[in-house]
């Protein structure tokens, strides 16, 4: 069995179709489900069979598809189908690089994203158990319109033929069992069957499905495996189906993580990529999207209304109403509400990046904090240091970016500007409102702002007769500086 390590000789993935109904400049196969292209899902499923050869048949928008394949699956060989003359023609093209291959060849589609490797393994196992020439995946549908119908032998055991919708007699059109388009063939039977195909049918195409009748004509056996999980056989033709399948895929992922010990409060508004990794007792609040290579360690709480893309979150951290890309958030750290952490942000354990704070390429040591209204870019903030409200790191001089370093256990007062490149030593203070351009040594207090100057009598001479003047007069008569209510 394939499960025991004997792989199949070849898999051919059909991906040459035009995908017209997507109305997209992007190939249909590159549209995503759970953060990966549909083609990537097809290849993952095929890889579960440990095939000796994996061929993708490309045609429409093939440059895009080929480029994508080089990136995600360099082990794949492509075969070109110049014009789309039907699935039989497509498989002929797919077999060209497999001229010497014998044994099992699996044919599947590039646009059936919920099909799993386990299902393909089961199909191959069924093929082996029966010693079939052809084994195909079928489903029983309430509405089989559009699909090829499965015509069985009188005793119902074997498949006699597949008849396409457009070639069906009214009686055949009433058959509810449909061809999913996913098969295991014996390579020699497939080659001979394909050689025998004609375009003598309603669509004038070469039908791969006619190989079934060919095999039965030779007295060979053809069985089907009926799949109860119909989602796995559903293809995507337009963006409505794309959204429907994406939602179902997401529902399955959410359920998988819930069963693994993750609290997901609202599965309908939680979106997960299948590349994400979640620890036990993670809590995900509504409106959260976890994408790419994101991992969240045990006990952390994410959301509501948060997007994490390629982010590593430590244990027991919290991220509230924030957008985070390519960053790490340490254990017990807190982010948000309303923070934007851009690539290269590293927040140390127990640290805080708070409300309306934007960071980029910035490393915060353990316990370091920027709690309110700041921009921190191209900077290092040492352990335990406090970045006050409204501090701006001016990292860009209009030409180049420069780095700012603040040492450990330091304090940068509110509304200061650190004009990069600049350094603040360990255990130093920067007075509120400073515009810092020079280095501050350890233990120093830097004050970089105009000194306060009060001008007595200014209101009386410049604002005589105003309410302000009256208030000032009242205050001096009552001999008090301010009148507190
Ligand atoms: C085909 C089957 C039908 C089955 C259905 C399941 C045939 C003749 N019919 O229908 O029995 O119920 O799939 O979805 O096989 N493709 C190519 N080159 C071509 C034609 C198709 O690469 O020349 C690819 C398409 O990109 C697609 C797949 O093959 O991924 C199926 O093609 P499609 O036209 O959707 O299938 P049908 O002919 O409708
Ligand atoms: Mg077709």
């Amino acid at each position: 069995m394939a499960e025991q390590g004997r792989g199949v000789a070849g898999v051919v993935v059909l991906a040459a179709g035009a995908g017209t109904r997507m109305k997209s400049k992007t190939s249909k196969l590159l549209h995503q489900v759970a953060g990966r292209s549909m083609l990537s899902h097809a290849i993952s499923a095929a890889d579960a069979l440990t095939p000796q050869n994996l061929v993708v048949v490309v045609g429409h928008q093939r440059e895009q598809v080929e480029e994508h394949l080089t990136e995600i699956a360099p082990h794949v060989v492509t075969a070109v189908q110049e014009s789309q003359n039907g699935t039989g023609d497509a498989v002929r093209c797919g077999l060209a690089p497999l001229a010497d291959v014998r044994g099992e060849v699996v044919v599947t589609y590039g646009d059936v994203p919920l099909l799993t490797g386990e299902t393909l393994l089961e199909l191959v196992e069924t093929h082996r158990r029966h010693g079939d020439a052809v084994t195909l995946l079928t489903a029983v549908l309430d509405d089989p319109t559009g699909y090829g119908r499965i015509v069985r032998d009188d005793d119902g055991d074997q498949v006699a033929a597949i008849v396409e919708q457009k070639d069906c007699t009214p009686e055949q059109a009433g058959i509810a069992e449909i061809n999913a388009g996913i098969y295991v063939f014996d390579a020699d039977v497939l080659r001979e069957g394909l050689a025998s195909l004609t375009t003598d049918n309603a669509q004038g195409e070469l039908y791969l499905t006619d190989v079934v009748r060919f095999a039965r004509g030779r007295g060979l056996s053809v069985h089907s495996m009926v799949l109860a999980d119909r989602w796995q056989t559903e293809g995507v033709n337009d963006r409505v189906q794309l959204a429907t399948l994406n939602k179902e895929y997401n529902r399955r992922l959410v359920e998988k993580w819930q069963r693994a010990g993750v609290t997901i409060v609202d599965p309908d508004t939680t979106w997960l990529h299948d590349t994400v990794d979640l620890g036990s007792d993670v809590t995900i609040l509504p409106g959260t999207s976890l994408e790419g290579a994101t991992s969240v360690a045990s006990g952390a709480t994410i959301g509501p209304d948060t997007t994490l893309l390629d982010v590593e979150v430590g244990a027991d951290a919290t991220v509230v109403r924030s957008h985070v890309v390519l960053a790490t958030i340490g254990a017990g750290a807190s982010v948000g509400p309303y923070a934007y952490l851009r690539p290269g942000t590293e927040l140390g354990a127990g640290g805080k990046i708070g409300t309306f704070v934007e960071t980029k390429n910035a490393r915060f040591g353990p316990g370091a904090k920027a709690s309110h209204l700041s921009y921190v870019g191209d900077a290092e903030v040492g352990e335990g240091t406090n970045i006050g409200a409204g501090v701006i790191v001016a990292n860009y001089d209009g030409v180049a970016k420069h780095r700012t370093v603040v040492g450990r256990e330091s304090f940068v007062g509110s509304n200061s500007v650190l004009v990069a490149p600049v350094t603040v030593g360990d255990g130093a203070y920067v007075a509120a409102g400073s515009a810092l351009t020079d280095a501050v040594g350890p233990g120093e207090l830097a004050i970089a702002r105009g000194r306060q100057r009060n001008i007595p009598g200014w209101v009386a001479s410049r604002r005589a007769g105003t309410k302000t003047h009256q208030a000032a007069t009242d205050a001096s008569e009552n001999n008090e500086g301010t009148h507190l209510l």
Side-chain angles (χ1 to χ4, degrees):
M1 296 197 304
E3 290 96 314
Q4 288 167 352
R6 183 156 74 84
V8 299
V11 176
V12 176
V13 178
L14 303 190
T20 319
R21 281 173 279 169
M22 293 297 282
K23 301 193 174 154
S24 178
K25 284 194 200 111
T26 303
S27 157
K28 172 166 85 174
L29 287 312
L30 270 52
H31 283 263
Q32 297 196 341
V33 168
R36 288 201 289 142
S37 69
M38 289 202 272
L39 191 51
S40 143
H41 286 282
I43 286 163
S44 298
D47 278 341
L49 299 171
T50 52
Q52 285 152 33
N53 303 277
L54 178 44
V55 181
V56 174
V57 180
V58 295
H60 277 275
Q61 293 165 305
R62 63 178 253 230
E63 292 80 13
Q64 274 181 35
V65 177
E66 283 172 340
E67 197 183 312
H68 180 62
L69 282 170
T70 324
E71 229 172 82
I72 64 154
H75 61 298
V76 162
V77 171
T78 56
V80 179
Q81 187 191 21
E82 293 293 352
S83 57
Q84 280 62 59
N85 300 324
T87 49
D89 179 58
V91 174
R92 266 188 200 169
C93 297
L95 283 183
L98 307 181
D100 303 324
V101 161
R102 308 196 96 77
E104 294 146 349
V105 173
V106 171
V107 173
T108 176
Y109 296 159
D111 56 3
V112 187
L114 268 67
L115 179 73
T116 66
E118 292 78 57
T119 298
L120 289 180
L121 283 165
E122 259 185 77
L123 188 67
V124 170
E125 208 242 323
T126 307
H127 181 81
R128 290 175 185 175
R129 203 173 55 237
H130 288 299
D132 276 340
V134 186
T135 312
L136 48 125
L137 196 63
T138 67
V140 178
L141 303 186
D142 296 335
D143 178 11
T145 312
Y147 288 97
R149 305 300 205 284
I150 304 299
V151 177
R152 288 181 170 273
D153 283 353
D154 290 341
D155 68 2
D157 176 44
Q158 290 201 37
V159 178
I162 303 172
V163 184
E164 292 306 295
Q165 171 84 39
K166 287 181 178 149
D167 301 294
C168 275
T169 63
E171 192 194 339
Q172 287 167 336
I175 297 173
E177 186 180 7
I178 61 98
N179 170 33
I182 293 149
Y183 321 77
V184 187
F185 292 98
D186 173 78
D188 288 333
V189 175
L190 178 58
R191 262 188 289 266
E192 289 167 35
L194 289 173
S196 79
L197 297 184
T198 68
T199 55
D200 184 14
N201 55 54
Q203 299 183 83
E205 287 182 356
L206 294 170
Y207 287 172
L208 175 61
T209 44
D210 286 345
V211 175
V212 167
R213 209 181 266 121
F214 169 84
R216 293 308 308 283
R218 290 282 177 98
L220 300 169
S221 82
V222 178
H223 285 90
S224 76
M225 182 177 113
V226 187
L227 193 63
D229 179 9
R230 290 170 213 160
W231 288 103
Q232 287 202 44
T233 63
E234 293 240 357
V236 170
N237 293 305
D238 59 29
R239 300 196 202 214
V240 175
Q241 289 168 323
L242 180 67
T244 305
L245 289 192
N246 192 33
K247 197 172 176 70
E248 174 59 19
Y249 196 106
N250 190 65
R251 195 193 63 72
R252 292 174 181 215
L253 268 179
V254 164
E255 188 176 315
K256 173 188 114 176
W257 287 115
Q258 287 174 319
R259 296 202 187 284
V262 174
T263 295
I264 296 176
V265 173
D266 184 11
D268 287 342
T269 63
T270 300
W271 293 91
L272 304 175
H273 284 180
D274 73 352
T275 38
V276 159
D277 190 37
L278 306 175
S280 63
D281 284 319
V282 162
T283 299
I284 302 177
L285 299 173
T288 294
S289 185
L290 304 182
E291 304 175 359
T294 290
S295 67
V296 183
S298 167
T301 300
I302 313 295
D305 302 328
T306 292
T307 297
L308 307 183
L309 169 61
D310 298 331
V311 178
E312 192 184 319
V313 181
D316 301 316
T318 59
V319 184
V320 182
R321 293 187 203 279
S322 291
H323 190 89
V324 185
V325 180
L326 258 172
T328 62
I329 295 167
S334 99
V335 172
Y338 307 107
Y340 179 23
L341 278 58
R342 292 164 50 199
T345 298
E346 292 175 34
L347 177 59
K352 178 175 180 183
I353 295 178
T355 306
F356 302 122
V357 175
E358 175 178 341
T359 62
K360 184 217 70 174
N361 191 20
R363 199 156 76 216
F364 288 77
K369 292 185 168 68
S371 299
H372 332 270
L373 301 158
S374 285
Y375 173 68
V376 181
D378 300 311
E380 208 152 310
V381 179
E383 177 171 357
T385 284
N386 186 70
I387 302 291
V391 167
I392 302 295
V393 172
N395 58 328
Y396 184 53
D397 60 13
V399 179
K401 305 275 171 70
H402 302 280
R403 207 158 171 80
T404 296
V405 178
V406 182
R408 46 185 292 269
E409 303 298 345
S410 293
F411 184 98
V412 180
S414 294
N415 204 36
S416 291
V417 181
L418 307 185
V419 182
V422 73
T423 59
V424 176
D426 293 345
Y429 268 71
V430 175
S434 291
L436 213 64
T437 51
D438 296 325
V440 183
E444 291 180 346
L445 164 67
I447 307 173
R449 53 168 144 88
R451 206 176 171 76
Q452 182 172 337
R453 188 162 72 98
N454 296 349
I455 305 172
W458 186 91
V459 170
S461 71
R462 300 292 185 88
R463 295 290 183 270
T466 64
K467 285 182 181 169
T468 308
H469 184 207
Q470 190 57 52
T473 311
D474 294 349
S476 66
E477 277 168 7
N478 299 335
N479 215 4
E480 51 187 39
T482 50
H483 183 85
L484 299 175
L485 289 173

